[in-house]
Amino acid sequence: MIKQLKKLTVQMLTGANVATVIVMLLVGFSDRINPADHPLVSTIGMAFPILLLFNLGFLLFWLIFKWTRAWVPVVGFVLSYVPISIYMPLNVSASAPEDALKLVSYNVCSFGGNFKYEQGFEKVRDYLIDEKADIVCLQEDNDTWRRYCFKQFEERGLVYNDTIELCNSPQSFNCLGIHSKYPIIRRERIDYATVSNNGSAAWWLKVGEDTLIVVNNHYESCHLNIEDRRQYRQILKGEMARDSVRAESQLLMVKLAEANAVRSGQIDAVCEYVEQYLGQYPIIVCGDFNDNPISYSRHQMAKLLHDCFVEKGRGIGLSYNQKAFSFRIDHIFCSSDITPYECFVDSKMDASDHYPMVCRLKIGGN
């Protein structure tokens, strides 16, 4: 009787493990789904790390209690190699050549994302100068005293500075900015629909004999207010009643789905812009995508350009640093005529609700 019960338990757990692997695969490749067509389905990519942990738990269980079944989670990890390598790449580090430029992409949260620093702008400015950045792409570069900011950057080597206002109203104000050691020869905003104050813009820079196109983005946010975030944390901690959990989870999913649907049109518009010049000029696309690595946004851009963190980064690279919402939502891409090196998220710089993403890039390296 006991032997039959053990056999039944092993069979049930094996079935549960197989089901976990199947769901993990479906979620891992859900970035092919256009949120405009299936908004709610497009949100499931956020669950990928949870499924990875479940499968890892099965692997440990089988190794301890019945090692002959360990092949099930191992096969699951092998079949999920592509999404795993996207979510948490493990590349061997290689030093960048001396003539590779350094790019920093950073959502600075209007220079006030972490209120423990009284002088938010000065904190960010000093960091960028200490990093010896050649090109800086900022999101929420919202300085009402822009001439003063520009002067500060100019005096410290970033002599070419520009911002584009995405919106300017009593309710909201948002800008994209670029601060560069290379001359700006052209700029334009990329037109697309938005329900808030987000946007994308392209700057054309003269880098030696090359004309480099840098596209800075701040895609649609998920519109989760402080109360939404608080309730989400309560759900994760199990501090909310079951009925409330169901209602709040549905509300959160709807908000995420709606943002994904809007964002899909934005990423498609930027992809169309990039395709116009692909092969003619070296191109860098970066910024706050407001989307995790297993997403339509990242997947669409990766079809055209190289994901620098996936190719040269290590680990999960959490760039949004708010508790319970830790994801890599900031990204850097480059065209095939640029070689990326040393791409990482700098978690030591905590002057915003994002961490900066840093990458060395060698034009003409491929």
Side-chain angles (χ1 to χ4, degrees):
M1 181 67 179
I2 295 177
K3 187 176 181 181
Q4 291 178 334
L5 184 60
K6 286 183 176 179
K7 183 178 180 181
L8 179 62
T9 301
V10 168
Q11 290 175 340
M12 291 177 62
L13 288 174
T14 302
N17 195 174
V18 170
T20 298
V21 169
I22 292 172
V23 175
M24 184 171 67
L25 285 170
L26 292 174
V27 171
F29 290 95
S30 65
D31 54 4
R32 276 71 173 170
I33 298 172
N34 190 329
D37 300 326
H38 305 283
L40 283 173
V41 177
S42 70
T43 65
I44 63 175
M46 297 174 64
F48 186 69
I50 299 173
L51 293 165
L52 282 179
L53 290 175
F54 280 160
N55 199 48
L56 179 61
F58 274 115
L59 177 60
L60 296 176
F61 175 84
W62 293 128
L63 289 175
I64 294 171
F65 295 103
K66 194 170 183 63
W67 66 269
T68 56
R69 295 296 174 99
W71 66 269
V72 179
V74 169
V75 168
F77 285 130
V78 171
L79 293 176
S80 302
Y81 171 77
V82 171
I84 290 173
S85 64
I86 290 171
Y87 201 90
M88 47 182 299
L90 297 175
N91 296 298
V92 177
S93 60
S95 298
E98 291 185 5
D99 58 346
L101 62 85
K102 176 179 278 191
L103 181 137
V104 177
S105 177
Y106 192 13
N107 184 325
V108 295
C109 197
S110 302
F111 301 106
N114 191 334
F115 295 103
K116 73 179 183 180
Y117 299 114
E118 293 183 3
Q119 303 295 327
F121 169 74
E122 285 75 12
K123 179 71 177 177
V124 172
R125 176 204 64 197
D126 292 345
Y127 165 78
L128 297 173
I129 301 307
D130 290 343
E131 280 293 306
K132 297 181 173 60
D134 297 298
I135 302 173
V136 177
C137 291
L138 299 184
Q139 302 86 47
E140 298 188 29
D141 192 4
N142 306 345
D143 52 275
T144 55
W145 22 281
R146 187 179 306 156
R147 292 182 181 177
Y148 169 75
C149 287
F150 284 6
K151 189 66 175 178
Q152 292 287 300
F153 283 127
E154 288 171 9
E155 291 174 352
R156 291 161 176 81
L158 294 169
V159 296
Y160 302 98
N161 300 276
D162 189 35
T163 55
I164 289 181
E165 289 184 0
L166 302 177
C167 70
N168 188 353
S169 70
Q171 291 75 33
S172 60
F173 178 65
N174 194 18
C175 294
L176 288 173
I178 190 167
H179 308 279
S180 168
K181 293 183 178 178
Y182 307 110
I184 299 169
I185 57 178
R186 177 179 170 184
R187 72 162 189 173
E188 55 189 327
R189 182 171 177 179
I190 300 173
D191 184 44
Y192 56 62
T194 177
V195 297
S196 58
N197 56 356
N198 304 115
S200 300
W203 281 270
W204 298 49
L205 309 180
K206 189 65 175 176
V207 182
E209 298 300 317
D210 293 299
T211 297
L212 172 67
I213 300 176
V214 180
V215 182
N216 189 6
N217 304 276
H218 190 191
Y219 291 122
E220 200 73 26
S221 67
C222 296
H223 309 293
L224 300 181
N225 57 38
I226 295 175
E227 182 61 18
D228 292 332
R229 298 171 191 273
R230 186 187 67 81
Q231 291 176 344
Y232 176 66
R233 293 188 184 99
Q234 285 184 323
I235 292 173
L236 293 182
K237 294 178 181 179
E239 299 175 350
M240 187 178 290
R242 183 175 299 177
D243 291 342
S244 298
V245 167
R246 182 177 302 173
E248 292 302 326
S249 297
Q250 290 176 346
L251 178 62
L252 288 171
M253 291 297 288
V254 168
K255 285 192 172 185
L256 292 172
E258 290 175 346
N260 284 357
V262 174
R263 198 181 301 119
S264 67
Q266 298 175 350
I267 192 73
D268 287 344
V270 174
C271 286
E272 288 178 12
Y273 182 88
V274 169
E275 282 187 290
Q276 294 180 62
Y277 304 106
L278 200 59
Q280 303 176 55
Y281 302 97
I283 301 172
I284 296 171
V285 175
C286 64
D288 178 3
F289 278 47
N290 270 312
D291 224 337
N292 71 90
I294 309 298
S295 64
Y296 178 82
S297 300
R298 195 219 70 90
H299 176 71
Q300 286 300 99
M301 190 57 66
K303 287 164 64 176
L304 297 175
L305 305 174
H306 297 277
D307 186 326
C308 297
F309 189 86
V310 170
E311 294 195 5
K312 298 297 180 180
R314 289 180 61 84
I316 299 176
L318 304 178
S319 66
Y320 187 66
N321 58 36
Q322 298 303 288
K323 292 181 179 178
F325 286 89
S326 298
F327 293 99
R328 186 170 80 250
I329 65 174
D330 299 86
H331 304 277
I332 298 175
F333 296 85
C334 67
S335 53
S336 59
D337 46 6
I338 300 176
T339 301
Y341 297 89
E342 302 171 14
C343 190
F344 65 98
V345 174
D346 193 349
S347 58
K348 300 187 297 296
M349 181 55 182
D350 60 351
S352 171
D353 54 358
H354 290 242
Y355 294 129
M357 180 166 279
V358 183
C359 191
R360 299 289 301 278
L361 298 153
K362 165 70 174 174
I363 299 177
N366 283 340

